[in-house]
Amino acid sequence: MSILLSVILPVFVVIGIGFLAAKRGLMTESGIDGVMRFSQGFAVPVLLFQALANLDLGANFDLRLVGTFYTGSFTCFVIGMLAAVYLFKRDWEDAVAIGFIALFSNSLLLGLPITERAFGPASTAANFAIIAVHSPFCYAVGITAMEIVKSKGQPPRTVPLKVLKAIFSNSLIVGITLGLIVNLTGLPIPTVVDEGLDMLVRAALPSALFGLGGVIARYRIEGDLPTILFTLALSLILHPAIAWGLGTAMQLPPDAFRSVVVTACMAPGANAYLFASMYGRATRVAASCVLLGTALSTLTAAVWLALLA
């Protein structure tokens, strides 16, 4: 209970304030959209840029860490997609969108602040190593799979261009890419610029969490409950269980092990809904999974944190 109160609930209090502000009409939809554009388009990309520009890649970018997290993530994608087709009788385009929900953990807006609150700011280097790959990997998998099932006789050579265009139009990936360029080249950042970036970084997570609450307020859980619950079981239970097993087998260091399990047990992120909306597929399932998964993760994350403690 102390873990739930001291680590997880403060994060969800900020989400809840955004949720209530939107529900009560204290923030309009356009106001919430503005907060999200600020956080996702500017503040969070700057957070990622600064973190990756200063990250010790040699010490923290461990292939065992990345392999552990993304093996679980990809496994959930495949199981979710196949279950959607053969168990829930959805077509293949719906199935890819449902698989993407199980693939895309909320590594940034939930995983990062919960890890920081649970284990301290110094413990989040492994989180940033996961986040650096997260959007590129997930969108590459999801878009490639969707374009393949949508192609229906179109030449395969058109798929890579569509994937790259979609990936690099994402501001989070731009922030990640620029941060890695600065890190690898050693380009200096002027002090006055760095201090200005610090101001944006301090606003990134609070504004993103508030905006997430406002966006969630638009959703409602409706229909497809077996599909929703199955997909959430993959995200909240199977993915962290795979991460735990592989992390143990790979003998990950304690900080990396904690980061990979905490990140894996997070609810599907809002990007799962954005992906479904982009293709107009399984949007009701995606919205319900984001809403219900975020609520359920207050409990499931507390269980995983208790096991880690």
Side-chain angles (χ1 to χ4, degrees), residues 73-307:
S73 184
F74 186 73
T75 300
C76 290
F77 171 76
V78 172
I79 293 173
M81 186 169 60
L82 294 177
V85 172
Y86 296 109
L87 184 60
F88 302 113
K89 309 304 180 185
R90 310 291 288 243
D91 65 36
W92 277 103
E93 291 182 32
D94 271 13
V96 172
I98 290 167
F100 190 87
I101 298 166
L103 175 75
F104 205 102
S105 303
N106 199 334
S107 60
L108 183 61
L109 302 189
L110 293 181
L112 183 61
I114 288 174
T115 303
E116 183 176 341
R117 289 193 60 80
F119 307 112
S123 67
T124 59
N127 289 66
F128 283 111
I130 293 169
I131 290 167
V133 184
H134 195 237
S135 288
F137 174 84
C138 291
Y139 274 105
V141 169
I143 293 169
T144 300
M146 186 65 84
E147 293 299 334
I148 288 172
V149 300
K150 280 170 60 69
S151 61
K152 297 176 182 176
Q154 294 179 18
R157 65 176 180 273
T158 63
V159 173
L161 183 60
K162 290 180 180 178
V163 173
L164 289 173
K165 183 179 178 181
I167 288 174
F168 285 98
S169 63
N170 186 309
S171 58
L172 301 179
I173 296 173
V174 172
I176 289 167
T177 303
L178 293 176
L180 290 173
I181 290 172
V182 169
N183 189 306
L184 294 172
T185 60
L187 288 171
I189 302 174
T191 301
V192 65
V193 173
D194 201 38
E195 289 177 355
L197 296 181
D198 280 338
M199 295 174 68
L200 274 175
V201 166
R202 287 194 292 273
L205 290 179
S207 63
L209 291 171
F210 180 91
L212 177 62
V215 170
I216 287 174
R218 301 173 188 174
Y219 304 157
R220 61 179 181 177
I221 300 167
E222 53 180 356
D224 302 307
L225 192 59
T227 306
I228 293 163
L229 293 177
F230 183 88
T231 306
L232 290 179
L234 297 178
S235 292
L236 303 178
I237 300 172
L238 181 61
H239 191 184
I242 293 172
W244 189 294
L246 287 178
T248 301
M250 296 283 190
Q251 298 182 324
L252 287 177
D255 277 354
F257 184 81
R258 290 193 294 257
S259 290
V260 78
V261 172
V262 170
T263 307
C265 77
M266 292 298 106
N271 278 287
Y273 177 72
L274 296 178
F275 181 86
S277 297
M278 183 166 67
Y279 289 102
R281 288 290 182 164
T283 52
R284 187 167 65 180
V285 174
S288 298
C289 281
V290 173
L291 175 57
L292 184 58
T294 302
L296 288 176
S297 63
T298 59
L299 301 175
T300 56
V303 172
W304 288 107
L305 283 171
L307 292 172

